[in-house]
Structure formats: C-alpha cells, structure tokens
Amino acid sequence: MRIKYEEVRFLSIQNRDELGAVFMWEGRIFRAIYEDSVQKVQDILDSGMLEEMVDEGLFPKTWATKYELKGYSLILEHEKVGSVTYPFEWSFSM
C-alpha cells in the first residue's frame, strides 16, 4: 500500500538520521529507510539484536511493513510509547 507523502508528518527535520526519517501517519509511528541503508537495517532486524533490546525495555517493538513512501525503500513501524521527548528538552539535572 502506498502512503501519500502529503498525509505524513515528519517528526522533525533535525531528527532525521543517516538511515532515513521518522514520521507519523494515521496516529502511528514509522521510520522510512533510504535505499542505500536497507541492507544495513535488514541485517540489524535479522540479527536478533532488536528483539533483545525490546525484551530489556531499551527499544520499542519494531517491524518491517509492506507500506511504500516516495523517496524511501523500506518502511518500519514502531510500537507507540508514552510521551516523546528529546534531549534538548531536558534540564541539566535530567
């Protein structure tokens, strides 16, 4: 299923990483992966490392989807967690 680019809301241009970008669509959280990073991400998914991190509460449950978004070659979905905060929002004591 193709996601319409105008329907997504990228969470922040500043938070895009070398692998792709995080966005919201229909109240859900996704990560769009660039073509040149697909193999690296697939290797991580296949390694079992993410499952271990999920089990330890260090990373949200994540899975590959069949969705498509222009400009990206793989779309992952992340389990939605509580409030999203960014390090620049934290005080020094945090």
Side-chain angles (χ1 to χ4, degrees):
M1 175 181 167
R2 183 168 293 276
I3 298 172
K4 294 179 182 176
Y5 198 83
E6 60 272 7
E7 292 180 357
V8 306
R9 182 172 61 91
F10 287 97
L11 295 185
S12 174
I13 293 173
Q14 299 161 328
N15 292 324
R16 293 183 190 205
D17 57 36
E18 67 183 40
L19 301 177
V22 177
F23 68 92
M24 289 189 74
W25 178 63
E26 296 187 346
R28 296 155 51 198
I29 306 292
F30 296 88
R31 183 177 300 269
I33 306 298
Y34 298 124
E35 173 65 37
D36 61 351
S37 298
V38 169
Q39 188 59 55
K40 182 186 298 186
V41 170
Q42 195 59 56
D43 290 345
I44 292 169
L45 292 171
D46 293 343
S47 74
M49 179 182 69
L50 278 184
E51 286 86 359
E52 289 181 32
M53 292 176 69
V54 168
D55 290 345
E56 294 293 323
L58 301 172
F59 201 83
K61 186 175 178 183
T62 300
W63 58 94
T65 73
K66 294 186 182 208
Y67 292 118
E68 298 175 4
L69 181 64
K70 183 180 178 182
Y72 300 93
S73 296
L74 175 64
I75 305 297
L76 304 177
E77 185 169 358
H78 296 295
E79 178 181 49
K80 202 168 184 180
V81 295
S83 300
V84 175
T85 63
Y86 302 98
F88 61 82
E89 298 174 323
W90 302 349
S91 69
F92 287 107
S93 64
M94 295 170 87

